Amino acid sequence: MIKLTKTLNLEGYTLILPSVAVGNVAQLTVDLLIASLNLQKIGQILTSAFIPIVGLDSYSETSEHLSTTIDVYAGVNNQIIVIQIRSPFVKSLNNFYNDLLEFVTENKISKVVILTSSYAYEKTDTQLNITEFRYIPSTNILTDNKQIFEDLQWIQYESTHIPSSNNEELTHIPGGGFAKNLFDFLSNNNIPCIILFKFCSEGDNIPDALDLINYLNQWMKLLQNNSNGSLIIKYPPSWKYLFGNVPSAETY
């Protein structure tokens, strides 16, 4: 269930959300998006499909609000709705998908952008020496943006196929979490949607998140550039603890 604490007219907005995937790149990217644009929390998604968590506000050290498993943020100036997911799923996502579909349909949201990542070691020989980024568009997204994607020199994903129970080959993003399943569900319900992702490896994935938000911004133009041409990015304060606390001096 999607529970909003503020009433907004979301018609024409773009919904952006991460898939929990390799390196948590999409979630880190969403963190950067929320912090950099100072998006306001407007609700949360209540579901038993994901591991429940609760903690301090991820984006303000003085806030009295809490962060939960799945929170919803809005940017009125940019007309975006951003969903942050902070834990992996442990149950069927069918209800979660249906809640998203109902939310998108009832609020007349224009399109859905799914961010994710994929294992770099799964790249094929032809993918090794070209850009690390790929996209998978629904038919209606591609129709409206084909020339833009060509001008940006974006590359559509060269699909990795896996067999299915009905002997059809399904497109698969190795390490990409639920991104492709959600994309298929929304596409089959005529919702304009697109997957944007980067090949990466586990480790310090902050650089990958910075790359992915740049990739997103090439198309959506959400963030401004500073004098040297790079994006104006703000790190959330919660990233101070991304790799744990500083080791005690007594250790040495």
Side-chain angles (χ1 to χ4, degrees):
M1 178 177 68
I2 299 179
K3 180 180 179 181
L4 298 186
T5 56
K6 295 183 180 180
T7 302
L8 293 174
N9 179 7
L10 302 178
E11 183 175 354
Y13 276 50
T14 296
L15 174 63
I16 302 172
L17 77 159
S19 171
V20 182
V22 54
N24 300 316
V25 174
Q27 293 158 288
L28 293 173
T29 302
V30 167
D31 262 356
L32 290 174
L33 198 59
I34 294 169
S36 300
L37 294 175
N38 193 29
L39 302 185
Q40 301 303 303
K41 182 177 176 179
I42 63 166
Q44 60 186 165
I45 299 181
L46 306 176
T47 173
S48 62
F50 294 80
I51 296 174
I53 64 168
V54 66
L56 299 176
D57 191 323
S58 301
Y59 310 108
S60 173
E61 294 180 288
T62 59
S63 171
E64 295 181 356
H65 297 105
L66 297 174
S67 293
T68 66
T69 305
I70 307 178
D71 288 328
V72 183
Y73 299 83
V76 176
N77 293 336
N78 302 99
Q79 291 198 313
I80 57 172
I81 293 293
V82 177
I83 293 175
Q84 178 60 298
I85 301 173
R86 298 188 172 93
S87 69
F89 68 91
V90 290
K91 294 183 180 180
S92 169
L93 292 174
N94 289 340
N95 290 337
F96 175 67
Y97 291 169
N98 283 312
D99 286 344
L100 286 177
L101 175 62
E102 182 179 356
F103 180 73
V104 169
T105 303
E106 289 186 352
N107 288 283
K108 298 180 180 178
I109 288 172
S110 65
K111 61 183 177 293
V112 178
V113 179
I114 306 166
L115 304 177
T116 191
S117 48
S118 182
Y119 290 119
Y121 65 76
E122 292 278 1
K123 292 168 67 174
T124 64
D125 290 343
T126 57
Q127 294 171 334
L128 289 176
N129 296 318
I130 50 179
T131 176
E132 299 289 319
F133 303 97
R134 296 293 185 276
Y135 74 101
I136 303 175
S138 61
T139 302
N140 36 23
I141 285 283
L142 188 59
T143 299
D144 293 340
N145 296 274
K146 185 176 181 180
Q147 188 59 54
I148 295 174
F149 295 154
E150 289 180 355
D151 291 344
L152 291 172
Q153 298 183 335
W154 280 16
I155 300 175
Q156 276 190 252
Y157 181 43
E158 310 90 338
S159 301
T160 299
H161 295 293
I162 58 173
S164 66
S165 57
N166 56 3
N167 294 321
E168 294 182 358
E169 287 191 332
L170 302 177
T171 300
H172 176 55
I173 303 175
F178 60 75
K180 188 56 172 58
N181 287 338
L182 176 58
F183 172 87
D184 290 339
F185 176 81
L186 294 174
S187 297
N188 291 337
N189 284 280
N190 298 314
I191 301 298
C193 55
I194 186 171
I195 299 174
L196 306 181
F197 73 93
K198 184 188 180 189
F199 292 107
C200 70
S201 301
E202 295 277 6
D204 179 359
N205 294 101
I206 291 177
D208 297 305
L210 291 168
D211 288 342
L212 188 56
I213 200 171
N214 270 276
Y215 186 57
L216 170 69
N217 201 65
Q218 288 176 19
W219 175 40
M220 294 196 62
K221 307 297 183 185
L222 298 171
L223 299 169
Q224 301 297 315
N225 295 88
N226 57 29
S227 57
N228 64 12
S230 60
L231 293 184
I232 300 174
I233 295 288
K234 178 183 177 182
Y235 285 19
S238 55
W239 280 23
K240 294 178 182 178
Y241 312 103
L242 202 58
F243 299 104
N245 295 323
V246 175
S248 171
E250 295 176 358
T251 302
Y252 309 100

Short mmCIF file of all heavy atoms in Angstrom, two decimals, residues 116-138:
data_model
loop_
_atom_site.label_atom_id
_atom_site.label_comp_id
_atom_site.label_asym_id
_atom_site.label_seq_id
_atom_site.Cartn_x
_atom_site.Cartn_y
_atom_site.Cartn_z
N THR A 116 19.10 0.45 -12.25
CA THR A 116 19.67 -0.78 -11.73
C THR A 116 21.13 -0.89 -12.16
O THR A 116 21.73 0.06 -12.65
CB THR A 116 18.84 -2.01 -12.18
OG1 THR A 116 19.27 -3.17 -11.46
CG2 THR A 116 18.97 -2.27 -13.66
N SER A 117 21.72 -2.07 -11.96
CA SER A 117 23.11 -2.33 -12.31
C SER A 117 23.23 -3.79 -12.71
O SER A 117 22.32 -4.60 -12.47
CB SER A 117 24.04 -2.01 -11.14
OG SER A 117 23.57 -2.59 -9.94
N SER A 118 24.36 -4.14 -13.29
CA SER A 118 24.56 -5.51 -13.75
C SER A 118 26.02 -5.89 -13.57
O SER A 118 26.92 -5.04 -13.61
CB SER A 118 24.17 -5.65 -15.22
OG SER A 118 24.30 -6.99 -15.67
N TYR A 119 26.27 -7.19 -13.36
CA TYR A 119 27.62 -7.68 -13.15
C TYR A 119 28.53 -7.38 -14.34
O TYR A 119 28.23 -7.77 -15.48
CB TYR A 119 27.61 -9.18 -12.92
CG TYR A 119 27.01 -9.60 -11.61
CD1 TYR A 119 25.88 -10.42 -11.56
CD2 TYR A 119 27.57 -9.21 -10.38
CE1 TYR A 119 25.33 -10.83 -10.35
CE2 TYR A 119 27.04 -9.60 -9.18
CZ TYR A 119 25.91 -10.41 -9.17
OH TYR A 119 25.37 -10.81 -7.96
N ALA A 120 29.64 -6.71 -14.07
CA ALA A 120 30.58 -6.39 -15.15
C ALA A 120 31.17 -7.66 -15.77
O ALA A 120 31.45 -7.69 -16.97
CB ALA A 120 31.70 -5.50 -14.61
N TYR A 121 31.34 -8.71 -14.94
CA TYR A 121 31.97 -9.92 -15.47
C TYR A 121 31.05 -10.69 -16.42
O TYR A 121 31.49 -11.64 -17.08
CB TYR A 121 32.46 -10.83 -14.34
CG TYR A 121 31.40 -11.43 -13.45
CD1 TYR A 121 30.60 -12.48 -13.87
CD2 TYR A 121 31.21 -10.94 -12.15
CE1 TYR A 121 29.63 -13.03 -13.04
CE2 TYR A 121 30.24 -11.47 -11.31
CZ TYR A 121 29.45 -12.52 -11.77
OH TYR A 121 28.50 -13.06 -10.95
N GLU A 122 29.78 -10.29 -16.51
CA GLU A 122 28.85 -10.94 -17.41
C GLU A 122 28.85 -10.30 -18.80
O GLU A 122 28.13 -10.74 -19.69
CB GLU A 122 27.43 -10.88 -16.84
CG GLU A 122 27.21 -11.71 -15.58
CD GLU A 122 26.94 -13.18 -15.89
OE1 GLU A 122 26.95 -13.54 -17.09
OE2 GLU A 122 26.73 -13.95 -14.94
N LYS A 123 29.66 -9.26 -18.98
CA LYS A 123 29.69 -8.59 -20.28
C LYS A 123 30.21 -9.54 -21.37
O LYS A 123 31.11 -10.33 -21.13
CB LYS A 123 30.58 -7.35 -20.22
CG LYS A 123 30.01 -6.23 -19.35
CD LYS A 123 31.04 -5.16 -19.08
CE LYS A 123 31.40 -4.40 -20.31
NZ LYS A 123 32.31 -3.26 -20.00
N THR A 124 29.64 -9.41 -22.54
CA THR A 124 30.10 -10.21 -23.67
C THR A 124 31.33 -9.56 -24.29
O THR A 124 31.68 -8.42 -23.98
CB THR A 124 29.00 -10.33 -24.74
OG1 THR A 124 28.72 -9.02 -25.26
CG2 THR A 124 27.72 -10.91 -24.13
N ASP A 125 31.97 -10.28 -25.20
CA ASP A 125 33.17 -9.75 -25.84
C ASP A 125 32.88 -8.44 -26.57
O ASP A 125 33.71 -7.52 -26.57
CB ASP A 125 33.74 -10.77 -26.84
CG ASP A 125 34.33 -11.99 -26.15
OD1 ASP A 125 34.59 -11.90 -24.93
OD2 ASP A 125 34.52 -13.02 -26.82
N THR A 126 31.72 -8.34 -27.20
CA THR A 126 31.39 -7.14 -27.96
C THR A 126 31.07 -5.95 -27.05
O THR A 126 31.05 -4.80 -27.50
CB THR A 126 30.18 -7.39 -28.87
OG1 THR A 126 29.07 -7.83 -28.08
CG2 THR A 126 30.51 -8.45 -29.90
N GLN A 127 30.83 -6.20 -25.75
CA GLN A 127 30.51 -5.13 -24.82
C GLN A 127 31.72 -4.60 -24.06
O GLN A 127 31.61 -3.60 -23.34
CB GLN A 127 29.48 -5.62 -23.80
CG GLN A 127 28.12 -5.95 -24.40
CD GLN A 127 27.21 -6.64 -23.40
OE1 GLN A 127 27.69 -7.29 -22.46
NE2 GLN A 127 25.91 -6.50 -23.59
N LEU A 128 32.87 -5.22 -24.24
CA LEU A 128 34.02 -4.91 -23.40
C LEU A 128 34.61 -3.53 -23.66
O LEU A 128 35.06 -2.87 -22.74
CB LEU A 128 35.11 -5.98 -23.57
CG LEU A 128 34.79 -7.36 -22.98
CD1 LEU A 128 35.91 -8.35 -23.30
CD2 LEU A 128 34.61 -7.24 -21.47
N ASN A 129 34.65 -3.09 -24.89
CA ASN A 129 35.38 -1.87 -25.22
C ASN A 129 34.49 -0.69 -25.57
O ASN A 129 34.92 0.25 -26.23
CB ASN A 129 36.33 -2.16 -26.40
CG ASN A 129 37.39 -3.17 -26.03
OD1 ASN A 129 37.95 -3.12 -24.94
ND2 ASN A 129 37.66 -4.10 -26.92
N ILE A 130 33.22 -0.74 -25.16
CA ILE A 130 32.32 0.38 -25.38
C ILE A 130 31.70 0.79 -24.05
O ILE A 130 32.01 0.23 -23.01
CB ILE A 130 31.23 0.04 -26.43
CG1 ILE A 130 30.53 -1.29 -26.09
CG2 ILE A 130 31.82 -0.03 -27.81
CD1 ILE A 130 29.45 -1.67 -27.07
N THR A 131 30.84 1.78 -24.07
CA THR A 131 30.28 2.37 -22.86
C THR A 131 29.73 1.34 -21.88
O THR A 131 29.22 0.29 -22.28
CB THR A 131 29.18 3.38 -23.22
OG1 THR A 131 28.58 3.88 -22.03
CG2 THR A 131 28.09 2.72 -24.06
N GLU A 132 29.84 1.67 -20.59
CA GLU A 132 29.38 0.78 -19.52
C GLU A 132 27.87 0.86 -19.30
O GLU A 132 27.34 0.15 -18.45
CB GLU A 132 30.09 1.15 -18.21
CG GLU A 132 31.60 1.02 -18.24
CD GLU A 132 32.04 -0.44 -18.28
OE1 GLU A 132 31.42 -1.25 -17.57
OE2 GLU A 132 32.97 -0.74 -19.02
N PHE A 133 27.18 1.73 -20.04
CA PHE A 133 25.76 1.97 -19.78
C PHE A 133 24.88 1.35 -20.85
O PHE A 133 25.26 1.27 -22.02
CB PHE A 133 25.48 3.47 -19.71
CG PHE A 133 26.31 4.18 -18.67
CD1 PHE A 133 27.48 4.83 -19.03
CD2 PHE A 133 25.92 4.20 -17.34
CE1 PHE A 133 28.25 5.48 -18.08
CE2 PHE A 133 26.68 4.84 -16.39
CZ PHE A 133 27.85 5.48 -16.76
N ARG A 134 23.68 0.94 -20.43
CA ARG A 134 22.69 0.42 -21.35
C ARG A 134 21.31 0.88 -20.92
O ARG A 134 21.09 1.27 -19.77
CB ARG A 134 22.71 -1.12 -21.36
CG ARG A 134 24.01 -1.74 -21.88
CD ARG A 134 24.22 -1.47 -23.37
NE ARG A 134 25.38 -2.17 -23.87
CZ ARG A 134 26.64 -1.73 -23.78
NH1 ARG A 134 26.90 -0.59 -23.15
NH2 ARG A 134 27.64 -2.42 -24.28
N TYR A 135 20.38 0.83 -21.88
CA TYR A 135 19.00 1.14 -21.55
C TYR A 135 18.07 0.15 -22.24
O TYR A 135 18.40 -0.43 -23.28
CB TYR A 135 18.64 2.58 -21.93
CG TYR A 135 18.47 2.85 -23.42
CD1 TYR A 135 17.21 2.95 -24.00
CD2 TYR A 135 19.58 3.03 -24.26
CE1 TYR A 135 17.04 3.21 -25.35
CE2 TYR A 135 19.43 3.29 -25.61
CZ TYR A 135 18.16 3.39 -26.16
OH TYR A 135 18.01 3.64 -27.50
N ILE A 136 16.91 -0.06 -21.62
CA ILE A 136 15.86 -0.91 -22.19
C ILE A 136 14.57 -0.09 -22.16
O ILE A 136 14.03 0.18 -21.09
CB ILE A 136 15.66 -2.21 -21.39
CG1 ILE A 136 16.97 -3.00 -21.30
CG2 ILE A 136 14.56 -3.06 -22.00
CD1 ILE A 136 16.87 -4.25 -20.42
N PRO A 137 14.08 0.34 -23.32
CA PRO A 137 12.89 1.19 -23.34
C PRO A 137 11.63 0.39 -23.71
O PRO A 137 11.68 -0.59 -24.46
CB PRO A 137 13.21 2.19 -24.45
CG PRO A 137 14.00 1.35 -25.44
CD PRO A 137 14.75 0.31 -24.64
N SER A 138 10.50 0.83 -23.19
CA SER A 138 9.23 0.31 -23.69
C SER A 138 9.01 0.92 -25.07
O SER A 138 9.64 1.91 -25.45
CB SER A 138 8.08 0.68 -22.75
OG SER A 138 7.96 2.09 -22.64
#
